[in-house]
């Protein structure tokens, strides 16, 4: 018999300086820092980091939950299928790290069918509590996954793209790491050097091909410990990951030869990584092969991976569109809803996001076992 979910305690160390001052102080002390260290401070510094100071969904970019509530309705059905897959356990925990404004959490709970809603306990987790309305969502402020003994699902939507990454470059057949330092005028610049961790070369070599000179990319060494935490958290259940990215050999496409790092500010995409420190988002495409490998090593077996468009359509999305046509709505309202829904499956766009499902001790071996019938929308 499964025990109750255990909450772990932790301490927070506060830094009182600004993100840029903190970065420059570290460079002054060490000569250079990794890009992962730079990105960590720029995004998550408690006093002026991008996410801790209110940047994100809304003012700078929008995500699938914000495009239309149909996204959360499909997620609610998928979670219900997971709950049913191992016997409709009396309490089904859904833990969402990086929950931001709590929109997905609130909409999933609204869309959950009555019997599943009675079992559902949704916990939104973030490093800082957003200043926006809580929407009736249960929140935990934490860095990581401070729980144990859960039966349920860990769900994330655009979480891993904001994990700090190490940058690398191929030079004369060797792997160099791209560090951050300052020039004589104090400007932040790239600085090549020997890799700071063997995990960079290990991940690059995992591709099994020789990369050309000048090729640049990123490696997220935080994935392995995160997957280990997720596996330890789950007594029985699933990890459902939704994000944009690639898998293995896809990384070698010519349009990615200069890396995948991008910046976002007020819905404008850019490439100036060292500008507007703390005032712009920095993201990198997610290596889904890395997520799967790290999950396997931690005890999370991959059930399957599909594009978001296929995931939604195989969970009743087209039925939802048809039902919209039959609803008693004004034409303007109907079209607004239709356009919002179609954004979720648009290619290129949100429809090309990837959906990865991993499991532990559930007995589920294929995604087809979890896809919902359209009739589930009527329950």
């Amino acid at each position: 018999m499964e025990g109750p979910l255990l909450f772990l305690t932790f301490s927070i160390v506060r830094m009182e300086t600004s993100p840029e001052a903190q970065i420059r102080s570290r460079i002054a002390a060490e000569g250079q820092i990794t890009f992962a260290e730079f990105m960590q401070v720029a995004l998550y510094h408690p006093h002026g980091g991008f996410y801790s100071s209110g940047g994100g969904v809304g003012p700078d970019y929008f995500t699938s939950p914000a495009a239309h509530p149909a996204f959360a309705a499909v997620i609610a059905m998928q979670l219900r299928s997971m709950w049913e897959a191992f016997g409709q356990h009396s309490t089904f925990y859904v833990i969402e790290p990086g929950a931001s404004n709590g929109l997905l959490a609130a909409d999933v709970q609204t869309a959950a069918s009555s019997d599943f809603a009675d079992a559902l306990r949704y916990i939104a987790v973030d490093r800082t509590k957003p200043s926006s309305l809580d929407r009736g969502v249960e929140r935990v402020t934490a860095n990581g996954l401070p729980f144990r003994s859960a039966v349920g699902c860990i769900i994330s939507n655009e979480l891993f793209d904001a994990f700090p990454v190490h940058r690398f470059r191929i030079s004369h057949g060797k792997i160099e790491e791209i560090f951050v330092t300052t020039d004589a005028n104090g400007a932040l610049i790239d600085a090549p050097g020997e890799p700071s961790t063997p995990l960079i070369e290990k991940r690059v070599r995992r591709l099994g091909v020789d990369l050309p000179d000048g090729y640049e990319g990123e490696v997220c060494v935080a994935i392995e410990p995160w997957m280990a935490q997720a596996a330890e958290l789950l007594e029985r259940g699933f990890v459902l990951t939704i994000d944009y990215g690639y898998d293995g050999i896809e990384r070698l496409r010519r349009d990615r030869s200069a890396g995948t790092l991008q910046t976002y500010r007020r819905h404008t995409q850019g490439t100036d990584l060292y500008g507007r420190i703390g005032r712009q988002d920095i993201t990198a495409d997610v290596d889904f092969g890395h997520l799967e490998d790290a999950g396997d090593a931690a005890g999370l077996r991959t059930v399957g991976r599909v594009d978001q468009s296929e995931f939604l359509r195989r969970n009743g999305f087209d039925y939802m569109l048809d039902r919209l046509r039959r609803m008693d709505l004004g034409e303007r309202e109907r079209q607004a809803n239709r356009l919002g829904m179609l954004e979720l499956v648009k290619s290129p766009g949100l429809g090309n996001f990837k959906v990865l499902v991993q499991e532990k001790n559930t007995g589920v071996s294929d995604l087809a076992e979890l896809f919902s019938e359209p009739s589930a929308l009527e329950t």
Side-chain angles (χ1 to χ4, degrees):
M1 181 176 179
E2 294 90 349
L5 180 65
L6 302 180
F7 291 75
L8 306 183
T9 59
F10 57 93
S11 60
I12 299 175
V13 177
R14 297 192 178 277
M15 298 178 291
E16 299 298 335
T17 57
S18 71
E20 183 167 357
Q22 183 74 23
I23 288 166
R24 291 183 176 279
S25 175
R26 293 186 185 184
I27 292 173
E30 303 169 25
Q32 61 186 20
I33 60 174
T34 67
F35 187 82
E37 192 175 356
F38 168 86
M39 189 171 170
Q40 172 74 28
V41 175
L43 295 182
Y44 300 108
H45 189 287
H47 303 286
F50 177 76
Y51 290 117
S52 57
S53 59
V57 181
D60 297 287
Y61 55 83
F62 79 99
T63 62
S64 292
H68 197 276
F71 180 78
V74 169
I75 295 297
M77 287 201 304
Q78 181 70 105
L79 293 170
R80 179 195 171 94
S81 294
M82 291 173 171
W83 173 61
E84 293 175 332
F86 50 84
Q88 299 184 341
H89 195 268
S90 59
T91 302
F92 188 87
Y93 288 97
V94 175
I95 298 169
E96 184 191 354
S100 186
N101 60 14
L103 180 59
L104 178 60
D107 285 352
V108 164
Q109 291 176 109
T110 298
S113 57
S114 58
D115 55 345
F116 177 49
D118 290 340
L120 175 63
R121 184 176 175 189
Y122 201 119
I123 303 174
V125 183
D126 230 318
R127 293 169 180 255
T128 59
K129 186 175 181 178
S131 57
S132 57
L133 295 176
D134 280 346
R135 307 175 191 272
V137 174
E138 182 176 357
R139 289 189 176 275
V140 170
T141 302
N143 179 8
L145 298 169
F147 314 95
R148 295 292 182 273
S149 304
V151 174
C153 180
I154 303 168
I155 181 172
S156 67
N157 180 62
E158 295 193 57
L159 172 71
F160 289 103
D161 63 87
F163 271 30
V165 295
H166 292 256
R167 297 175 64 200
F168 72 87
R169 175 187 298 142
I170 306 300
S171 179
H172 304 292
K174 294 182 60 178
I175 298 171
E176 293 181 337
E177 183 165 2
I178 302 175
F179 294 87
V180 183
T181 190
T182 53
D183 64 15
N185 296 317
L188 295 171
I189 59 171
D190 295 346
E194 289 292 320
S196 61
T197 168
L199 295 176
I200 298 172
E201 183 168 4
K202 179 182 178 182
R203 188 62 211 167
V204 174
R205 298 305 181 202
R206 175 77 175 175
L207 294 174
V209 296
D210 292 327
L211 299 177
D213 269 11
Y215 188 94
E216 294 185 6
E218 307 87 29
V219 173
C220 180
V221 302
I223 285 176
E224 278 84 1
W226 192 95
M227 283 294 174
Q229 278 192 27
E232 190 174 358
L233 184 161
L234 286 174
E235 182 172 321
R236 191 156 53 107
F238 300 90
V239 179
L240 173 61
T241 302
I242 305 163
D243 221 317
Y244 53 90
Y246 55 86
D247 174 30
I249 204 70
E250 292 177 12
R251 180 65 179 85
L252 305 181
R253 281 180 9 198
R254 187 168 297 177
D255 63 344
R256 293 195 175 106
S257 63
T260 68
L261 282 160
Q262 297 288 333
T263 64
Y264 292 90
R265 174 177 165 82
R266 296 176 182 173
H267 299 274
T268 300
Q269 186 176 11
T271 57
D272 181 8
L273 302 176
Y274 300 140
R276 300 190 182 96
I277 296 173
R279 293 178 290 124
Q280 65 179 6
D281 195 11
I282 305 173
T283 73
D285 286 10
V286 177
D287 181 348
F288 275 81
H290 195 177
L291 295 182
E292 293 184 15
D293 290 345
D296 288 342
L300 298 170
R301 192 181 58 82
T302 297
V303 176
R305 173 161 43 88
V306 293
D307 284 350
Q308 178 169 299
S309 177
E310 180 180 351
F311 173 79
L312 294 176
R313 293 188 185 282
R314 293 185 69 178
N315 272 298
F317 181 81
D318 291 328
Y319 178 85
M320 292 182 186
L321 272 177
D322 182 63
R323 193 167 70 173
L324 174 65
R325 286 192 288 269
R326 294 183 277 111
M327 293 178 70
D328 184 18
L329 298 173
E331 187 58 27
R332 179 175 297 181
E333 186 177 0
R334 190 191 322 278
Q335 285 302 316
N337 276 275
R338 181 176 179 275
L339 290 174
M341 291 178 68
L342 290 177
E343 280 292 330
L344 297 170
V345 295
K346 187 176 179 180
S347 178
L350 294 174
N352 296 123
F353 279 37
K354 299 187 185 299
V355 181
L356 170 66
V357 178
Q358 298 159 291
E359 67 84 33
K360 179 181 177 183
N361 298 331
T362 69
V364 174
S365 59
D366 191 275
L367 270 182
E369 300 175 50
L370 297 174
F371 289 136
S372 303
E373 295 295 328
S375 58
L377 288 164
E378 304 294 348
T379 61

